[in-house]
Amino acid sequence: MTAAAGTMRRMPLLLMDLDNTLLPRDAAFRGWARDFLAEHGLPPQDIGWLTTLDGSGFVPRGTLLGALRQRYGLDATFDTLLAHYRRGINAHIHCPAPHLAALRAARAAGWTLGIVSNGGTAPQLEKIRRTGLAALVDGWVISEEAGFAKPDPEIFRIAARRCGVPTDGAWTARTWMVGDHAPADIAGASLSGLQSVWLHHGRPWPELGYHPTLSASGLPEAVGMVLSARPAPSAAPSPAGGLPTARGAAAPARTAPPARTRFAAPAALPGSGGRPSYRPVAAGATAGARAGGLAG
């Protein structure tokens, strides 16, 4: 999907993850979990159990909802529970005002903006449109409809093209990726030759083979770092055990890309009304990295 069909632009590009980067997905899950427990007269303290089992969306929904049925002896079918879950989490999802302000600042500074999300097309698309992000970005790509999932470099190239940025020449030198999930967002940026900002959310950096260019506590700080950074940060590596948090940090280490995984073609995509609209891609479709139609 791209913003309106426009000319290809050679502008700096800022790509961003969706869940727990642009949108507080885990907070939305907790909102649904509280509602679910209250509606069924279940112990409110079980929200901790549900949150742990959710695993920030990386646990398959079949596992989560199956455990829910077994723990509480529920008669509802999986499809009924899944529909309840999807309605509930999207009812609680929102884009915080500071995030919206950061996106507007980046656009005012001349940056092209895009979303790169792993997950199911329909639920991710609903989040993008419901939260007002569709009007603030130039394009997006969702793994299920694109046929590639992060960290595959192809999904980042698709995102760039859908944002109107050509991927010939030195497009990577003008592109940043911001995300909270190291194996998908930061590894994908490293494999693609992009600069990156990892949203640590209070966590230590978990990987040894690659590192982000910068690290930030949240999206507004990350966007501010990108806007003030040099076009191609290059400096001595940060001390062992630490992560760069300011401009001029070391570029991420490069690792050999994994083998590309292809998937069967998806069902027909939802309508492309609104802005941006889909642009056809040559790839097949994937179920997305987060099983059960979850997002990244």
Side-chain angles (χ1 to χ4, degrees), residues 208-242:
L208 296 177
Y210 59 92
H211 293 83
T213 311
L214 301 171
S215 179
S217 60
L219 184 77
E221 182 184 11
V223 172
M225 287 178 171
V226 170
L227 297 189
S228 62
R230 300 184 182 95
S234 58
S238 57

Side-chain angles (χ1 to χ4, degrees), residues 3 8 20 30 52 54 64 108 113 125 140 142 146 150-151 161 175 177 182 196 225 231 241 260-261 268 278 281:
M8 301 295 270
N20 291 325
R30 289 192 294 272
T52 299
D54 172 57
L64 171 71
L113 307 179
L125 189 56
W140 59 73
I142 301 169
K150 296 178 292 186
R161 292 192 294 269
T175 302
M177 174 65 193
S196 62
M225 287 178 171
R260 179 173 298 166
T261 301
Y278 284 109
V281 293

Side-chain angles (χ1 to χ4, degrees), residues 29-126:
F29 176 86
R30 289 192 294 272
W32 167 78
R34 283 191 295 268
D35 292 346
F36 182 88
L37 293 171
E39 288 174 18
H40 291 81
L42 300 171
Q45 61 269 25
D46 280 8
I47 191 171
W49 180 82
L50 277 168
T51 301
T52 299
L53 185 60
D54 172 57
S56 289
F58 287 96
V59 174
R61 296 303 85 180
T63 301
L64 171 71
L65 299 177
L68 202 66
R69 291 178 63 193
Q70 183 176 22
R71 180 179 178 91
Y72 300 117
L74 302 175
D75 294 329
T77 66
F78 170 79
D79 288 342
T80 298
L81 291 175
L82 181 61
H84 186 286
Y85 162 79
R86 286 180 172 168
R87 287 194 305 271
I89 196 168
N90 280 350
H92 284 281
I93 204 73
H94 73 287
C95 190
H99 293 200
L100 297 173
L103 296 182
R104 294 188 183 103
R107 181 173 292 286
W111 285 73
T112 298
L113 307 179
I115 298 171
V116 187
S117 176
N118 282 356
T121 304
Q124 297 306 84
L125 189 56
E126 181 179 356

Side-chain angles (χ1 to χ4, degrees), residues 190-289:
S190 179
L191 294 170
S192 303
L194 311 180
Q195 299 166 91
S196 62
V197 185
W198 179 57
L199 304 188
H200 58 73
H201 298 315
R203 303 164 295 169
W205 175 250
E207 304 292 340
L208 296 177
Y210 59 92
H211 293 83
T213 311
L214 301 171
S215 179
S217 60
L219 184 77
E221 182 184 11
V223 172
M225 287 178 171
V226 170
L227 297 189
S228 62
R230 300 184 182 95
S234 58
S238 57
L243 280 176
T245 57
R247 61 184 292 179
R254 304 292 182 232
T255 57
R260 179 173 298 166
T261 301
R262 300 300 300 275
F263 300 84
L269 297 180
S272 58
R275 175 180 180 274
S277 61
Y278 284 109
R279 171 175 294 175
V281 293
T286 173

Side-chain angles (χ1 to χ4, degrees), residues 98-200:
H99 293 200
L100 297 173
L103 296 182
R104 294 188 183 103
R107 181 173 292 286
W111 285 73
T112 298
L113 307 179
I115 298 171
V116 187
S117 176
N118 282 356
T121 304
Q124 297 306 84
L125 189 56
E126 181 179 356
K127 291 175 187 175
I128 291 169
R129 290 175 172 163
R130 175 187 289 268
T131 58
L133 289 173
L136 288 175
V137 300
D138 295 278
W140 59 73
V141 58
I142 301 169
S143 63
E144 182 179 60
E145 53 85 14
F148 301 92
K150 296 178 292 186
D152 191 325
E154 184 60 23
I155 196 171
F156 298 94
R157 288 191 286 267
I158 292 172
R161 292 192 294 269
R162 290 184 179 185
C163 289
V165 175
T167 54
D168 57 338
W171 75 279
T172 58
R174 304 184 303 275
T175 302
W176 286 77
M177 174 65 193
V178 177
D180 71 297
H181 187 55
D185 301 319
I186 307 307
S190 179
L191 294 170
S192 303
L194 311 180
Q195 299 166 91
S196 62
V197 185
W198 179 57
L199 304 188
H200 58 73

